[in-house]
Amino acid sequence: MAISSGDVIPLSQARANLSELADQVKAGAEKIVTKNGESYVAIIDAQRLDYYHQLEREHIHLLLIDDASKGLADVAAGKVKDARNTLAAIKRRRTPKATG
């Protein structure tokens, strides 16, 4: 859904017309509330917000699946290191060396 200039509302106007704005949003509109001429908050339907959060979670899951797939491909290609040796090397790099 595209946002039109009528969907951008100053905070003072939103305060004065909150009930009307809520009805418009419930009917499918999305509103951008501005403060001092800059975007401040958005008003969207609660079900749409839930849907956006669901999409975000699904996107994160797809990224995790992609990372796991790449990791399995690395294992299959033999691109692996011993975990204990690698962790020990990291610890050695983090430990400040004593000056003599």
Side-chain angles (χ1 to χ4, degrees):
M1 166 180 275
I3 300 288
S4 71
S5 61
D7 295 325
V8 179
I9 301 149
L11 182 58
S12 58
Q13 184 181 344
R15 270 194 212 114
N17 301 310
L18 184 57
S19 182
E20 180 184 328
L21 288 175
D23 290 341
Q24 291 174 12
V25 167
K26 193 65 181 163
E30 294 181 347
K31 302 293 181 178
I32 302 294
V33 178
T34 61
K35 184 176 181 181
N36 300 323
E38 296 186 13
S39 296
Y40 188 57
V41 297
I43 304 174
I44 65 169
D45 181 72
Q47 288 179 324
R48 187 170 292 177
L49 179 63
D50 288 343
Y51 176 69
Y52 291 161
H53 286 192
Q54 180 184 355
L55 288 177
E56 186 176 28
R57 284 190 303 274
E58 289 174 6
H59 179 70
I60 290 168
H61 291 157
L62 290 173
L63 291 174
L64 289 171
I65 290 169
D66 186 52
D67 283 347
S69 177
K70 289 176 183 175
L72 290 172
D74 284 346
V75 169
K79 298 178 185 177
V80 296
K81 294 183 179 182
D82 179 74
R84 287 194 178 119
N85 292 338
T86 303
L87 289 174
I90 292 170
K91 287 179 183 177
R92 282 193 301 274
R93 285 194 306 259
R94 289 184 180 172
T95 304
K97 295 180 181 179
T99 56

